Amino acid sequence: LGRGLAFEMIKDSDNKISLTLKQYVWEFGWTETLNQAVNSFLNLWQSLGMPSRNLLLHNIVVQQTHSSDGSKIERLVVIDGLGWPDIIPLAYYIKPLAKWKAKRKSARLLVAINALIEKKQAGGDWGLRGWLDEKQRQ
């Protein structure tokens, strides 16, 4: 329907479509492994000053390697929401501004993760976006 970005299909080592960050947090909680992966991702995101809208939990996938010893998070991949939302993207030309904006978006992602964890602990519902059942992951 016009110009756009095309991404590779992000799959785990078992060849299933990777879970969204939202689904991963909902199913497994905030583990030390996830903490390390998210911190690594956010540090890189901020240092590069990546252009993005808000980082949404259902627009990031958790790519994993599965083995007999368990699962290992390989990387987090943003699958939507890239690009500056500004009419005049000054951050494209001013790197410190880009890094400041990326840092702000990173902080919002952590708030969203905490809100999702609190929602689950309070018996809330999942929401509308970002869930793949096993059949859909094939």
Side-chain angles (χ1 to χ4, degrees):
L1 298 176
R3 293 178 49 176
L5 293 174
F7 292 90
E8 66 181 284
M9 176 67 73
I10 307 301
K11 295 185 175 185
D12 292 349
S13 65
D14 60 5
N15 212 31
K16 292 182 180 177
I17 297 171
S18 298
L19 297 174
T20 64
L21 180 56
K22 183 178 182 181
Q23 184 171 354
Y24 188 96
V25 169
W26 193 266
E27 288 187 6
F28 304 109
W30 187 253
T31 64
E32 182 55 36
T33 304
L34 182 59
N35 181 48
Q36 291 174 3
V38 168
N39 284 332
S40 210
F41 168 81
L42 292 178
N43 286 335
L44 185 58
W45 193 263
Q46 292 171 42
S47 72
L48 294 172
M50 288 300 294
S52 69
R53 289 154 177 77
N54 284 331
L55 294 169
L56 303 176
L57 297 174
H58 63 272
N59 286 344
I60 300 172
V61 295
V62 180
Q63 189 175 39
Q64 302 177 75
T65 300
H66 303 284
S67 68
S68 58
D69 297 338
S71 298
K72 176 185 172 199
I73 297 174
E74 290 297 324
R75 64 184 180 151
L76 302 182
V77 181
V78 176
I79 59 170
D80 195 13
L82 294 173
W84 298 116
D86 311 313
I87 294 172
I88 300 173
L90 294 176
Y92 182 77
Y93 304 101
I94 305 169
K95 200 64 171 168
L97 177 59
K99 289 182 178 188
W100 177 80
K101 290 179 82 159
K103 183 176 182 179
R104 192 180 63 187
K105 310 277 175 154
S106 296
R108 289 180 184 164
L109 179 67
L110 294 173
V111 169
I113 290 170
N114 287 328
L116 182 66
I117 291 168
E118 289 174 7
K119 188 176 186 181
K120 182 175 182 183
Q121 289 172 344
D125 69 341
W126 157 260
L128 298 174
R129 296 177 180 86
W131 189 272
L132 290 174
D133 62 34
E134 279 302 309
K135 186 175 180 183
Q136 292 170 312
R137 292 186 66 210
Q138 299 300 324

